[in-house]
Amino acid sequence: MMTLGLIALIAGAASALMFASIVSGALISLVLFYLAPLPLMVASIGWGPFCASLGGIAAAIGLGALFGLPYCIAFAVTVALPAWWLGHLVLLSRRLGPVGPEAATEPPAEPELEWYPVGRILLWIAGFAALTTIAALLTLGTDAETITSTLRRGLMRLLRTADPQTSGEAGQFVDALVLIAPAAATIVAMMTLTLNLWLSGKITATSGRLLRPWPDMMTAELPPMTLVALCIALAFCFTGGLLAMVAQITTAALMMGYALTGFAVLHTLTLALKSRTFWLGSTYAVVVVFGWPVIAMVILGLADAVFGFRERFLRRRQPPPLPTS
């Protein structure tokens, strides 16, 4: 128990220091800030969610004592809560097959377990990304007009600091940034949470602490009702006001979820290609460098959800059944 507590305190302290580094204003602090959930996720997956909860509570209390209650709440909502819950989901499983009384007479065997699906974990990540972005925007105001004006003033202040000779045309550029800022923040939150969870899984697997087999990422798919939720969110995007802003954030999070499943579809559909590594590497490079080609991955993920491309492709690759005599 003392070892568990020590690991929790170390993970919490590391996470809190990375989160608080943003106060320095250095460029490297931005990277550390986005990687703040990583130590707690490693603790959650490697030593259990209870370890992460202890570390998260200690870190939140420490940040609150040093920097005030807003930092405490921000850390708890954006770092500690996702790290604890996602680590819990990674280790969540259930036993397959009925357990009958005859099992007592047989030699003990390793139970077959069904682990929590990767697609559902991806949906939870989208939910946390939307939640943290909405919570951040609500600190700027309680209605869309106040949030928009606060964002615009902040961006104009940054622009004038960088270039005191800012012309009137910069106002149009800032207005465009204000429109896309909530969705962009959601996408960044979604990608950083996904990266943190993947890195924590790799770290625990390398250290031998991962208690589950590494999942097959090519099978990742969102639950069917996600498509319905996306359609509803898209409809509310045209209502206006704070509701439209929340709907835009939700839409961005779900679309990024479909973009990630689109990459899983791409990995599956290229299994038969001899130059598969080249094409996959080129696709990732183009998406990382330019950004906007990720729309193609969103379309591919949505198309697979509707038409089942992966299932059809894998069915065609299976060998034909042997003829019966």
Side-chain angles (χ1 to χ4, degrees):
M1 188 65 183
M2 287 185 62
T3 304
L4 188 71
L6 182 61
I7 292 170
L9 289 177
I10 292 173
S15 189
L17 286 173
M18 294 166 75
F19 181 83
S21 66
I22 196 69
V23 178
S24 68
L27 187 61
I28 188 64
S29 67
L30 192 62
V31 178
L32 295 175
F33 175 79
Y34 283 123
L35 291 176
L38 183 59
L40 287 176
M41 282 186 178
V42 171
S44 183
I45 296 173
W47 286 268
F50 180 69
C51 180
S53 63
L54 285 179
I57 292 170
I61 293 174
L63 285 171
L66 290 174
F67 299 102
L69 185 60
Y71 274 83
C72 172
I73 297 174
F75 178 84
V77 172
T78 63
V79 177
L81 179 62
W84 164 72
W85 184 248
L86 293 175
H88 164 72
L89 294 179
V90 166
L91 300 178
L92 193 62
S93 65
R94 64 182 179 183
R95 184 174 296 185
L96 289 177
V99 180
E102 67 275 1
T105 62
E106 298 177 358
E110 195 71 24
E112 187 179 357
L113 299 177
E114 180 186 15
W115 298 92
Y116 198 75
V118 176
R120 292 184 180 273
I121 295 177
L122 196 58
L123 187 60
W124 276 103
I125 292 175
F128 278 122
L131 173 66
T132 54
T133 306
I134 292 169
L137 288 180
L138 288 177
T139 61
L140 305 178
T142 56
D143 58 90
E145 291 77 12
T146 305
I147 293 171
T148 302
S149 60
T150 305
L151 278 175
R152 193 179 191 284
R153 285 196 303 270
L155 289 172
M156 286 296 295
R157 194 180 302 117
L158 287 174
L159 215 60
R160 290 196 181 99
T161 303
D163 182 14
Q165 304 299 324
T166 301
S167 62
E169 294 180 358
Q172 298 177 353
F173 175 69
V174 169
D175 289 339
L177 284 180
V178 168
L179 287 176
I180 66 172
T186 308
I187 292 171
V188 171
M190 177 90 179
M191 297 310 297
T192 52
L193 269 179
T194 305
L195 177 63
N196 278 305
L197 188 60
W198 183 83
L199 285 175
S200 60
K202 284 295 183 182
I203 291 170
T204 50
T206 304
S207 63
R209 296 290 308 182
L210 187 61
L211 302 179
R212 62 167 291 172
W214 190 261
D216 183 5
M217 298 300 182
M218 290 192 297
T219 63
E221 59 179 357
L222 296 173
M225 289 302 295
T226 308
L227 197 57
V228 178
L230 177 60
C231 293
I232 295 173
L234 277 170
F236 278 108
C237 286
F238 301 97
T239 56
L242 186 61
L243 181 60
M245 192 173 287
V246 171
Q248 291 164 11
I249 291 170
T250 306
T251 301
L254 294 179
M255 281 192 170
M256 280 309 300
Y258 278 110
L260 293 174
T261 59
F263 280 108
V265 175
L266 185 67
H267 276 261
T268 303
L269 299 183
T270 54
L271 284 173
L273 296 180
K274 293 182 179 179
S275 54
R276 179 171 181 260
T277 304
F278 169 77
W279 289 112
L280 289 176
S282 301
T283 303
Y284 279 103
V286 168
V287 170
V288 170
V289 172
F290 296 103
W292 63 264
V294 76
I295 297 173
M297 294 297 104
V298 175
I299 295 172
L300 186 58
L302 288 169
D304 178 72
V306 176
F307 301 108
F309 288 153
R310 275 180 292 185
E311 185 180 353
R312 296 182 183 183
F313 175 80
L314 293 174
R315 194 185 303 128
R316 285 199 304 267
R317 280 176 57 87
Q318 290 177 353
L322 295 175
T324 56
S325 56

